[in-house]
Amino acid sequence: MQSTMQDVPLTVTRILAHGALVHGGATVTTWTGDGEPLRRSFREVAERSVQLAHALRDELGVTGDQRIATLMWNNSDHLEAYLAIPSMGAVLHTLNLRLPVEQLVFIVNHAADRVVLVNGSLLPLLAPLLPHLPTVEHVIVSGPGDRSALEGCRPRVHEYEELIAGRPVSGFDWPQLDERQAAALCYTSGTTGEPKGVLYSHRSVYLHAMEVNAASAFGLTPADTCLPVVPMFHVNAWGLPHAAFMAGTSLLMPDRFLQPAPLADMIATERPTVSAGVPTIWAGLLAELDARPRDLSSLRTVISGGSAAPPAMMRGFHERHGVRIVQAWGMTETSPLGSVAYPPAGLSEEEEWPYRVTQGRLPSSVEARLAGPGGEILPWDGTSAGELEVRGPWIAGAYYGGAAGEPVRPEDKFSPDGWLRTGDVGTITADGFLTLTDRAKDVIKSGGEWISSVELENHLMAHPDVAEAAVVAVPDEKWGERPLATVVLKDGKDADYAALRAFLGERVARWQLPERWAVVVTVPKTSVGKFDKKVLRKQYADGELEVTVLA
Amino acid sequence: MQSTMQDVPLTVTRILAHGALVHGGATVTTWTGDGEPLRRSFREVAERSVQLAHALRDELGVTGDQRIATLMWNNSDHLEAYLAIPSMGAVLHTLNLRLPVEQLVFIVNHAADRVVLVNGSLLPLLAPLLPHLPTVEHVIVSGPGDRSALEGCRPRVHEYEELIAGRPVSGFDWPQLDERQAAALCYTSGTTGEPKGVLYSHRSVYLHAMEVNAASAFGLTPADTCLPVVPMFHVNAWGLPHAAFMAGTSLLMPDRFLQPAPLADMIATERPTVSAGVPTIWAGLLAELDARPRDLSSLRTVISGGSAAPPAMMRGFHERHGVRIVQAWGMTETSPLGSVAYPPAGLSEEEEWPYRVTQGRLPSSVEARLAGPGGEILPWDGTSAGELEVRGPWIAGAYYGGAAGEPVRPEDKFSPDGWLRTGDVGTITADGFLTLTDRAKDVIKSGGEWISSVELENHLMAHPDVAEAAVVAVPDEKWGERPLATVVLKDGKDADYAALRAFLGERVARWQLPERWAVVVTVPKTSVGKFDKKVLRKQYADGELEVTVLA
């Protein structure tokens, strides 16, 4: 029996219209460094979005679901692109300006972007790539920055302000969209292989924005001002721009001023109530505040995600600056809102900490299960560790991946029944709190059990002789895999593997203790400073490490 | 271009699974009057829901989308029905126990309910109707109350606890549902004509629950306890049971103890943080509290909807008991969440009042427009009054109406392009605040303009000679319609129509002043105490009123 409710699609077009009509007086403030901030009302942003849509269609001939890329900081022009491009049926492709240039070239070509919107300050990055981007016909430049790098380039160059000036601020003939139609495209910057595209739908963007606005998530309201420090080229700034326009929440946009001092200044001056970013940003801000305090009392919630927030940093904010850091977990493939770590009610501050350092609880729209080493589904008992698999309307079911853009479902990323394999290993308690401990590729599969390399590393690094330690899986005839412990010793210390193993033996189960040990001069690292375990495994396989095997 | 996100339906089944798994420790407390409250965890409620589903399918043979009625108070058994019935693909049909019995008989027969779940205390209402309910094969009785009224009745009678006892608490083979499939059925108790069914979908229930949990709506979180005073047979208790199970919000269920004294007691004892109900309930509670104060400090928000909350009552709660009443607007056809009246940020308490007495702002999923007397769309300027029309994924697009259950779309209820005509007349400000002033059927359409009968009545009743006043539209050759003012005079007062008109003339525009006047002994009223303007119009048409026409 079909219901008799209206069949109205969930679209970005609706978010645009709603923000303009009901919350037209909310503001988007873009930081400009030393100058006066740029302020636009939601009504102005919406009108300029309509002008942008007119320009893209009437002047640049954008039709259908063509991809329009942005290479931009967090600012109100970028928000206009966020609203106009999906609403006109095109696909917003946000380019991560921190990607290696060869990956940038790859993804622009893979997406076949026809237009690139770029901030003037980023032209030194874009201009040299243009000869390698044959699909790009138009470059639209917005904001300050020397334009000379574009002289003589092949694509047509437009100034954003000139392009939209004088065009109608209403009356765009928005297409009737199917909510499952693509709205936005983000490529993951995987450490291995080529970047893979996640193609968000209008439905997923809309539902995700609703969840961001849930009181048990980020809880945006018209009384809030939100400062998205997380870049708009990182998983759509965690959905905050669309969520804020939906909720009527004013936005404070940091543009390119992401250093600790200007962030502290803009918070003290503009008084946002909510902010969101990665732990590195907050660690830098904490050091700045400790050195030169500012008034951060406007902040009711600061969301930290992307990697685990160090508890000492969370405590530092809380105890020295009265700012509450809330951990959240997600990834590009999850839009990204996966879980948020609010403690249960009625606990003392100290009792709250064990909950606050978890990844938190999942919303009803994100279904979770833990898959054990053999693929078996594990109980939620707080101790059974498995790979987190998730399912839901804002979770990727495939990548926009093949050469012709067809969906691809690598089996290490998607289960046979279609759940996303997150690559994260952890536990879930009986009351739904998720704790992630390892990347699946870093756990050691030993005789049907998993050994956490991160746990062994943390214990080893607590030993007074050890400067750094990395544990990797190596092949073992009997157990499938066993841990190899590599350690960097502190100056003047000698390798005493038996003593290190005894030290570990007091902290983990006996069957988890490594037999294979090696001293290394330094642990190889990736470009972002993470342990590069691929290199260690190859060094081991190639016999380059001097390995001692303990009986 | 189709996105590559997972295609996961939005269903009540997901709400059930989520509440059980992630928030299994939240509680449902049912008030029992003088005894100890009945407490069940979400996990127990979910397990009992599964047992109920097993019983309905295995014992009673419920299949497909059969309709299962409930005639129950707000209690945890009713919540189990809310979760089990839609999840198994059947349709939850909540019966309004305050309907006239002939309407109850009509709607049970119209829906072809196969099973009725009933509270023992309501058997005196149900039992006499059973001979007129041929489709009902089973009656399931839950909770205290004399069962003797059911002796010898035709349907099979089951005790709820006996029926579910011993059945599996997990492993029910929930069907894969299309989110547009029907989940629940409510009939409107329209003042004219037969009741009309609104057939909610899984999609509409799920999206509506998400919106209830938005921080700018009711904002339920796991830290809250919600007391739905609004009955579960009134528009699904405004969506609160499903929203609470989705958010992990504990519920305090008042059962049949809806009188002011037990409500005050249960709030003081169980300390809910959020409550919701109609103004009459809050007015009664306020009088009780003024006479015998209780500690209501746990309440952060009290939602009032269903009709306009008197400002004096809102102020009384605020000033004498520290409780914040928040107005919301909705109707059966809107699931019901239409708008919520939070004032903008940064205002003083006094500055907030003009916003708090409006119907508030609409969420992004509810699109609104105002249609003027000629159907033209009016601006949002705070003064242009039109009929509110709405559109959205939890707004009805038709009634479950025809004899064979086919959708019906009466043209006074749905516009040609499918929007719901709410029958409410009002204005919207440029910043999105809706104020409803009249029912569309009560405004006078005079020469292409609307005259508010409610406004004229309020002014007339402020005159010292007038006890009551009702203004109705009567046909007029020149203007189409003109107002007829009928007044009930205070004892010993004589009719001085010219003086009354002069009094009005100081308060409204000249063209709105009634020419036709009549004194009546009493204003005819409906069963719920509202002015019955149909009767007045008929009395006028039949020449039963002694009308004076002023030049």
Side-chain angles (χ1 to χ4, degrees), chain A residues 90-138:
Chain A
V91 178
L92 169 78
H93 176 199
T94 51
L95 298 176
N96 181 345
L97 56 91
R98 306 231 164 82
L99 282 185
V101 290
E102 63 277 10
Q103 291 197 8
L104 274 177
V105 169
F106 173 87
I107 67 177
V108 172
N109 286 324
H110 187 266
D113 295 324
R114 252 200 86 202
V115 181
V116 180
L117 279 84
V118 60
N119 278 143
S121 58
L122 294 169
L123 287 178
L125 170 59
L126 178 68
L129 309 184
L130 287 172
H132 310 289
L133 308 176
T135 65
V136 174
E137 298 171 34
H138 299 273

Side-chain angles (χ1 to χ4, degrees), chain A residues 4, chain B residues 188 196-198 333 397-401 406-408 410 413-414 420:
Chain A
T4 53
Chain B
T188 61
K196 292 179 282 283
V198 177
E333 290 87 340
Y399 290 110
Y400 177 72
E406 73 279 9
V408 292
K413 288 300 219 161
F414 299 97
L420 175 74

Side-chain angles (χ1 to χ4, degrees), chain A residues 465-470 486-490 518-523:
Chain A
D465 293 355
V466 176
E468 259 184 345
T486 66
V487 291
V488 178
L489 294 173
K490 287 189 181 160
V519 166
V520 291
V521 178
T522 180
V523 175

